Amino acid sequence: QVQLVESGGGSAQPGGSLRLSCAASGRSFSIVSTTWFRQAPGKEREFVASFRWAGSGTYYADAVKGRFILSQARLETTVNPTVHLQMNNLAPEDTAVYYCASGSPDWPDSDPAKYLYWGQGTQVTVSS
């Protein structure tokens, strides 16, 4: 089992920035990736970005490419594998509940049905 705990999120104005973090614990050594999805009211869960632990690879949805940046937390700052999602130049359409997920054997993998482990979700609201 892998447990995922998200932090960050909140409210921002258009053009602003927020940072989300996802920390994995439990059998975290087994995970291939830490992936972010988001879900806006009335919409399906949408792939955002994915970080591959082997080789620190990153993959982004077109909607966020060039604005969102994935990074691995410095090992000396945490005992759990942690990925940051830096969200810059936010727009109202970025408003959603953001979830981190792990457990898919594939990378990159944009299908939420293939992920075994999910965080609790964190709200991101972008408005003026």
Side-chain angles (χ1 to χ4, degrees):
Q1 285 286 341
V2 175
Q3 293 79 42
L4 302 174
V5 177
E6 298 141 352
S7 59
S11 298
Q13 293 186 338
S17 298
L18 289 171
R19 190 177 83 163
L20 306 181
S21 299
C22 177
S25 61
R27 295 177 61 85
S28 57
F29 59 85
S30 66
I31 61 176
V32 171
S33 68
T34 296
T35 299
W36 290 93
F37 291 85
R38 66 187 181 186
Q39 189 164 20
K43 295 188 176 181
E44 294 187 350
R45 196 160 293 191
E46 173 189 31
F47 171 82
V48 175
S50 186
F51 179 88
R52 181 177 61 181
W53 287 97
S56 300
T58 58
Y59 184 80
Y60 301 92
D62 288 343
V64 306
K65 197 175 296 182
R67 300 189 298 124
F68 290 11
I69 302 170
L70 287 164
S71 64
Q72 177 185 356
R74 290 170 55 189
L75 296 178
E76 60 267 28
T77 65
T78 178
V79 298
N80 297 317
T82 300
V83 170
H84 300 310
L85 179 67
Q86 178 67 38
M87 304 185 295
N88 300 320
N89 194 20
L90 285 164
E93 51 265 36
D94 294 318
T95 295
V97 177
Y98 284 70
Y99 299 90
C100 66
S102 288
S104 170
D106 301 322
W107 188 86
D109 191 351
S110 62
D111 183 359
K114 294 175 65 179
Y115 287 82
L116 299 177
Y117 311 110
W118 291 85
Q120 76 281 7
T122 186
Q123 178 70 46
V124 170
T125 302
V126 183
S127 68
S128 55

